[in-house]
Amino acid sequence: AQSVTQPDIHITVSEGASLELRCNYSYGATPYLFWYVQSPGQGLQLLLKYFSGDTLVQGIKGFEAEFKRSQSSFNLRKPSVHWSDAAEYFCAVARDAGNMLTFGGGTRLMVKP
Amino acid sequence: DAGITQSPRHKVTETGTPVTLRCHQTENHRYMYWYRQDPGHGLRLIHYSYGVKDTDKGEVSDGYSVSRSKTEDFLLTLESATSSQTSVYFCAISGDRPSQPQHFGDGTRLSIL
């Protein structure tokens, strides 16, 4: 069965600093990988997705993620964090092109002024 | 935003009562999903539907049933609510193609006393 681990439950960064959120997955074949963001009281918004091809994918709001098969990782990065990026971030993996998602436990990001 | 409406947005009820949550979509997507979100667990799939009258169980389906009589509506029912079903419930939809990953509603906060 597929699984997703987000090792960091909480992360605090200063505004303007760089950010990396970790995601490790367990799946036998080539996975479909996603990052979602959730603001308080809201649903989940898709940041980016990886299906195949270039292992560095660009998303919305200046985020990017890199798929590393050898490390079973799909880490999310942003070069300069803004206060509005404070939210909870979820990594997810799917067998198919978006169906049957398995989510990690989430990482809550706090941004210091 | 994807056209997904969840109702009600908030509900408080008592143990042993039946509860039905509704998800309505205007995107004509084939797939619909119900998740629950609990701290530390991310989102976990309860049930999903791959067409009218076609549904299947997810990871945490015990105590829940679903129905889909029309493409646009997917109902989640708790036949006899228990306190362990206190959670935030999210509906999601997706199409068939890789370019159509899951999009989420704004959630229903359900409290069972």
Side-chain angles (χ1 to χ4, degrees), chain A residues 38, chain B residues 6 8-13 19 21 34-46 60 64 76 78 81-91 106-113:
Chain A
Q38 184 182 33
Chain B
Q6 291 186 232
R9 291 294 314 279
H10 302 272
K11 186 172 183 67
V12 180
T13 190
V19 177
L21 307 183
W34 277 108
Y35 292 89
R36 60 178 290 172
Q37 182 178 27
D38 304 289
H41 290 278
L43 276 76
R44 292 179 291 175
L45 182 66
I46 305 171
V60 291
Y64 301 95
L76 176 71
L78 292 65
T82 68
S83 58
S84 65
Q85 294 175 311
T86 292
S87 187
V88 181
Y89 291 85
F90 286 96
C91 174
D106 287 335
T108 294
R109 184 172 296 276
L110 178 62
S111 297
I112 300 165
L113 308 176

Side-chain angles (χ1 to χ4, degrees), chain A residues 74-95:
Chain A
F74 188 57
N75 293 350
L76 182 71
R77 301 194 294 248
K78 187 170 185 179
S80 177
V81 170
H82 187 262
W83 64 266
S84 61
D85 293 324
E88 190 154 22
Y89 291 80
F90 293 94
C91 181
V93 63
R95 292 197 308 259

Side-chain angles (χ1 to χ4, degrees), chain B residues 6-107:
Chain B
Q6 291 186 232
S7 58
R9 291 294 314 279
H10 302 272
K11 186 172 183 67
V12 180
T13 190
E14 295 184 346
T15 300
T17 60
V19 177
T20 295
L21 307 183
R22 179 178 182 245
C23 178
H24 178 79
Q25 63 145 328
T26 58
E27 305 296 318
N28 200 36
H29 279 343
R30 178 183 176 194
Y31 291 89
M32 298 185 76
Y33 313 81
W34 277 108
Y35 292 89
R36 60 178 290 172
Q37 182 178 27
D38 304 289
H41 290 278
L43 276 76
R44 292 179 291 175
L45 182 66
I46 305 171
H47 282 279
Y48 69 102
S49 170
Y50 46 96
V52 173
K53 294 187 171 28
D54 292 323
T55 65
D56 205 348
K57 296 179 179 180
E59 177 187 357
V60 291
S61 60
D62 287 348
Y64 301 95
S65 63
V66 290
S67 65
R68 191 170 178 196
S69 59
K70 298 185 290 186
T71 298
E72 57 266 35
D73 289 325
F74 192 33
L75 303 181
L76 176 71
T77 298
L78 292 65
E79 300 290 349
S80 177
T82 68
S83 58
S84 65
Q85 294 175 311
T86 292
S87 187
V88 181
Y89 291 85
F90 286 96
C91 174
I93 64 174
S94 72
D96 290 334
R97 299 190 300 274
S99 60
Q100 296 174 311
Q102 290 188 29
H103 292 281
F104 288 79
D106 287 335

Side-chain angles (χ1 to χ4, degrees), chain A residues 14-102:
Chain A
S14 298
E15 190 168 17
S18 63
L19 171 70
E20 182 169 28
L21 302 182
R22 296 183 291 165
C23 172
N24 294 101
Y25 66 89
S26 172
Y27 183 59
T30 300
Y32 295 88
L33 295 161
F34 307 83
W35 275 100
Y36 285 86
V37 61
Q38 184 182 33
S39 299
Q42 301 296 313
L44 278 69
Q45 181 183 20
L46 180 69
L47 282 176
L48 47 78
K49 60 186 183 289
Y50 172 78
F51 292 156
S52 64
D54 192 347
T55 57
L56 184 64
V57 293
Q58 302 296 321
I60 62 171
K61 304 185 179 187
F63 285 92
E64 66 179 25
E66 186 171 12
F67 170 58
K68 293 186 178 180
R69 184 188 303 276
S70 62
Q71 298 177 19
S72 297
S73 69
F74 188 57
N75 293 350
L76 182 71
R77 301 194 294 248
K78 187 170 185 179
S80 177
V81 170
H82 187 262
W83 64 266
S84 61
D85 293 324
E88 190 154 22
Y89 291 80
F90 293 94
C91 181
V93 63
R95 292 197 308 259
D96 308 308
N99 303 320
M100 300 298 287
L101 288 175
T102 298

